[in-house]
Amino acid sequence: MRYSALKVLTQGLTGNKGWTPAWREPDPKPEYDIVIIGGGGHGLATAYYLAKEFGVTNVAVVEKGWLGSGNIGRNTTIIRSNYLLQGNQPFYELSLKLWEGLEQDFNYNAMVSQRGILNLIHSDPQRDAFARRANAMRLSGADAELLDRDGIRRMCPFLDFDNARFPIQGALWQPRGGTVRHDAVAWGYARGADSRGVDILQNCEVTGIDIENGVVRGVQTSKGPIRAAKVAMCAAGSSGRVAALAGLRLPIESHVLQAFVSEGLKPVIPGVITFGAGHFYVSQSDKGGLVFGGDIDGYNTYAQRGNLPVVEDVCEGGMAIMPMIGRARLLRMWGGVMDMSMDGSPIIDATDTDGLYLNAGWCYGGFKATPASGLCYAHLLATGQPHETARFFRLDRFRRGAMIDEKGVGAQPNLH
Ligand SMILES: Cc1cc2nc3c(=O)[nH]c(=O)nc-3n(C[C@H](O)[C@H](O)[C@H](O)COP(=O)(O)OP(=O)(O)OC[C@H]3O[C@@H](n4cnc5c(N)ncnc54)[C@H](O)[C@@H]3O)c2cc1C
């Protein structure tokens, strides 16, 4: 299915009737300037910006599966920049600005749809917290409004405003939030990187990282050794396992997160809606399916599938704010492996090994970060200096006690 969809897309782009791959399938070269481990959204975006913004094209993206097989093709596609903390808000706002110009930038239709995101408020303290967050957003140049019940009712009359336990009191509204077709993002970045000379090596697993006297020399892969002056880890939910190849233990746990899609319905949900008294978020895809999710399953795993208790929990969240969802039939569900960091925020940094870099800890919010993460990681790899906007995402912040704990729950990865 995925390949036939891609074929149609590439035919549309080239006008050819035959199969025209959107990117080459090269054999690995013996040596590159930079090897990126992980061909998910962040790895491909990094390669794209390395080539486009910094002219670094002797780059390989090494992916153990196929493009889109990881979280870039598994997420619920929500983009937003409604963060509070200084380390996060400007970074996610940069990312949202990049989303806004992305399709023109890489000349690919990624269905960027800024239909807005509505974070529901159910209590007075929550209103205070969201007012504070809205102010932080505005200070960083983002858009934010507080809506009252009437304002929400005009947009979403179907919500259960007077639920006995969770009455809706208002909402934080970010009109520029929305959704983007996730796997098209991988394809767009891959095509843009490939056309500039980057080698994308699919079905090629990194099995070792070669280090001599504290300096990285390259990687071992299922297609043989590859030498490299710089190795950039970018393996999302597998970050712990990849870092272990270099003898590193990360402040990260891997957890599974599930996503759900209903049967196709007529347009009913205008944008993205999130429940404020539990964890539930929902949007509607252009095909009509309600796309929704909630919390991670809460136990450590590398399995890309979840369990039933969270299904029940997510459905309870949906029923609490929009009981009509109980009439929709569930069509499909799946899981992806999250790299949950100790403070819920990511890491973009050099490691103590010369030439070895780390991009990880995106938790379940890394899709929206894809463009800014790629740009900032490319900046670090090309210049050796952290990008101004990502300067707080340092690995040593856990040692320094300079956590970026957006939720304020402490070193509890399963709660972020
Ligand atoms: C169900 C679900 C819902 C989500 N919803 C949202 C959302 O609405 N909004 C949002 O912002 N974020 C969301 N996320 C989070 C987001 O998808 C991730 O944070 C982000 O995609 C991670 O970055 P990535 O795209 O690079 O990851 P991936 O696509 O997982 O890329 C990592 C790649 O590394 C590869 N790899 C691993 N080990 C090796 C190896 N040894 N050698 C070579 N390759 C290797 C993997 O095969 C994989 O392709 C969601 C995630 C899930 C699972």
Side-chain angles (χ1 to χ4, degrees):
M1 272 301 285
R2 204 175 289 281
Y3 282 105
S4 55
L6 186 58
K7 186 173 172 182
V8 171
L9 279 169
T10 51
Q11 277 175 4
L13 286 165
T14 61
N16 287 344
K17 287 212 170 61
W19 163 251
T20 310
W23 49 85
R24 296 162 298 125
E25 297 267 353
D27 290 327
K29 290 194 278 193
E31 183 163 7
Y32 293 91
D33 292 338
I34 300 178
V35 162
I36 296 171
I37 306 175
H42 293 236
L44 292 165
T46 304
Y48 174 80
Y49 292 115
L50 270 172
K52 180 167 179 280
E53 301 297 333
F54 300 96
V56 182
T57 57
N58 188 22
V59 175
V61 178
V62 184
E63 166 54 47
K64 75 173 177 187
W66 67 90
L67 297 193
S69 56
N71 294 331
I72 186 65
R74 292 170 180 267
N75 62 71
T76 40
T77 79
I78 299 167
I79 61 166
R80 56 187 170 87
S81 69
N82 52 4
Y83 282 74
L84 170 72
L85 298 180
Q86 184 194 18
N88 281 328
Q89 176 55 38
F91 174 84
Y92 287 99
E93 178 55 21
L94 169 68
S95 211
L96 196 50
K97 287 203 171 73
L98 290 168
W99 283 118
E100 287 170 334
L102 186 66
E103 290 165 305
Q104 286 72 26
D105 186 46
F106 64 22
N107 187 25
Y108 203 86
N109 180 8
M111 295 163 71
V112 176
S113 177
Q114 292 180 284
R115 286 172 287 177
I117 179 165
L118 196 64
N119 303 123
L120 298 175
I121 295 170
H122 306 274
S123 67
D124 290 341
Q126 191 170 36
R127 184 194 305 278
D128 291 347
F130 277 174
R132 185 172 170 227
R133 183 186 298 216
N135 285 332
M137 291 165 67
R138 285 184 169 215
L139 282 172
S140 83
D143 55 325
E145 291 170 37
L146 283 186
L147 298 185
D148 60 13
R149 281 162 63 102
D150 288 342
I152 304 168
R153 216 184 283 273
R154 275 194 289 278
M155 248 187 269
C156 302
F158 52 81
L159 292 175
D160 187 0
F161 286 82
D162 297 312
N163 180 295
R165 284 181 72 196
F166 312 114
I168 296 171
Q169 295 191 7
L172 171 61
W173 166 238
Q174 185 178 28
R176 287 165 59 244
T179 57
V180 182
R181 172 151 184 192
H182 48 14
D183 37 18
V185 175
W187 299 337
Y189 277 127
R191 203 181 67 136
D194 171 89
S195 67
R196 289 171 172 82
V198 171
D199 282 356
I200 296 168
L201 310 173
Q202 296 184 77
N203 302 308
C204 183
E205 180 171 0
V206 171
T207 53
I209 298 177
D210 298 333
I211 299 167
E212 283 171 20
N213 302 321
V215 181
V216 86
R217 298 291 181 205
V219 293
Q220 299 291 323
T221 80
S222 52
K223 294 186 177 175
I226 303 175
R227 291 193 302 279
K230 293 179 183 173
V231 172
M233 297 182 280
C234 203
S238 300
S239 293
R241 292 210 280 203
V242 169
L245 299 175
L248 271 177
R249 280 195 71 202
L250 299 180
I252 282 176
E253 288 182 5
S254 288
H255 288 257
V256 69
L257 176 68
Q258 304 187 56
F260 307 87
V261 179
S262 79
E263 61 189 329
L265 304 170
K266 288 184 180 171
V268 55
I269 298 192
V272 182
I273 304 170
T274 74
F275 179 33
H279 207 166
F280 175 81
Y281 37 89
V282 62
S283 64
Q284 188 167 17
S285 79
D286 287 3
K287 280 197 294 185
L290 302 182
V291 181
F292 56 96
D295 267 327
I296 53 177
D297 272 35
Y299 51 87
N300 297 154
T301 179
Y302 291 109
Q304 292 189 124
R305 62 176 182 277
N307 277 303
L308 289 172
V310 166
V311 180
E312 187 182 1
D313 187 62
V314 169
C315 292
E316 278 174 2
M319 291 297 288
I321 58 166
M322 42 184 291
M324 68 175 185
I325 201 172
R327 296 178 59 193
R329 277 170 296 194
L330 194 62
L331 202 61
R332 27 195 199 105
M333 54 196 276
W334 60 84
V337 185
M338 307 290 86
D339 41 339
M340 303 297 297
S341 65
M342 292 293 152
D343 60 359
S345 294
I347 299 157
I348 303 179
D349 204 357
T351 70
D352 290 339
T353 300
D354 209 9
L356 183 64
Y357 296 81
L358 178 66
N359 176 315
W362 294 100
C363 303
Y364 47 76
F367 174 64
K368 73 177 97 67
T370 307
S373 165
L375 181 66
C376 294
Y377 203 24
H379 184 282
L380 175 67
L381 290 165
T383 67
Q385 296 300 317
H387 188 283
E388 167 71 12
T389 317
R391 67 187 187 282
F392 294 98
F393 298 156
R394 308 301 294 266
L395 183 52
D396 70 356
R397 72 174 183 269
F398 301 98
R399 198 165 50 216
R400 289 184 286 115
M403 262 66 85
I404 312 170
D405 186 351
E406 192 77 28
K407 275 200 181 169
V409 293
Q412 289 272 105
N414 57 319
L415 298 182
H416 283 294

